[in-house]
Amino acid sequence: VDQLVSAGLISRPSDLYHLTAAQLSGLDRMGDLSAANLLRAIDDSRSRPLDRALMALGIHHVGETTARDIARHFGTLDALLSAAEADLTAVPGVGAAGAASITRFLQSPASRAEIQRLRDAGVRFADVARPASAGTLAGKTFVITGTLPGMSREEAKAKIEAAGGKTSGSVSKKTDYLLAGDEAGSKLQKARELGVAVLDEAQFLTLLTGTPS
């Protein structure tokens, strides 16, 4: 990357999609095979889910979890580009500072121009399916902490999302439930301070099936 920038071949992400084998093969330690491999990887990156593409834009306050939550909430890039700051604060895990940062980035003329250049280069910002609203956990936000006795955190996360719920990495006033296993730690303490409902695995499975305890 340093060589590409120093040689004046790229100055922004969209420039990557206009590189040629001839340009690359002339760089230090970049033979024909390496150049071909790099161009193939760049071409493959034209089609990535919206959350992955959002992460790649380097927006302040947008990491893996936040990008996924935003993508699932809005579904498409165009819907996100039309969103106001208030719309972003409705996304679980996105606070006021994050919403302001994301809006500032997405509404800036420079960012809009670069996103259009990426689209013109064939980057698709593939739509992400929004969760079904009819699930037993629709509209509910969970945080998972500690070690669960009968399932991994990833399994619990998959169950929540399959039922229309969402997961977040941190406890806040927007959290509906904390799913706590052994050695829950500071997240359990914060949930108690905020009055967030705390579930063990058995209670979670009861809630998931919609049957009374």
Side-chain angles (χ1 to χ4, degrees):
V1 172
D2 287 341
Q3 288 191 82
L4 291 171
V5 173
S6 297
L9 296 176
I10 62 170
S11 61
R12 53 195 175 213
S14 56
D15 292 338
L16 290 166
Y17 297 96
H18 301 287
L19 291 171
T20 66
Q23 290 173 319
L24 292 174
S25 60
L27 299 176
D28 184 38
R29 292 183 295 179
M30 181 67 74
D32 291 343
L33 180 58
S34 295
N37 288 338
L38 179 55
L39 288 174
R40 183 163 50 250
I42 291 172
D43 189 55
D44 288 344
S45 74
R46 293 178 199 270
S47 181
R48 288 289 184 269
L50 178 58
D51 56 326
R52 294 282 300 279
L54 286 176
M55 278 191 61
L57 290 176
I59 307 171
H60 190 46
H61 290 297
V62 178
E64 180 179 359
T65 298
T66 301
R68 183 202 64 213
D69 290 343
I70 290 172
R72 284 170 57 84
H73 184 86
F74 291 101
T76 70
L77 177 62
D78 287 332
L80 176 58
L81 291 175
S82 300
E85 187 173 327
D87 298 322
L88 281 156
T89 59
V91 180
V94 177
S101 173
I102 296 163
T103 303
R104 188 162 52 247
F105 179 92
L106 293 176
Q107 297 301 324
S108 82
S111 296
R112 290 285 180 128
E114 177 61 3
I115 288 171
Q116 187 58 52
R117 281 190 290 265
L118 287 166
R119 284 179 143 175
D120 290 343
V123 178
R124 289 186 277 280
F125 295 91
D127 296 351
V128 171
R130 302 180 70 181
S133 59
T136 55
L137 304 182
K140 302 300 182 183
T141 300
F142 287 74
V143 173
I144 307 170
T145 188
T147 303
L148 301 171
M151 67 182 80
S152 67
R153 290 192 195 185
E154 285 302 312
E155 289 171 331
K157 176 182 171 183
K159 290 179 183 294
I160 291 166
E161 294 180 351
K166 299 177 181 179
T167 59
S168 175
S170 58
V171 178
S172 71
K173 292 180 180 179
K174 295 182 180 180
T175 305
D176 294 293
Y177 297 101
L178 177 73
L179 174 54
D182 294 337
E183 301 179 2
S186 60
K187 290 181 181 178
L188 177 58
Q189 179 63 33
K190 186 169 184 180
R192 288 170 173 165
E193 292 172 357
L194 294 176
V196 173
V198 178
L199 305 175
D200 61 21
E201 184 178 306
Q203 293 169 323
F204 166 65
L205 291 173
T206 297
L207 183 67
L208 185 66
T209 59
T211 57
S213 57

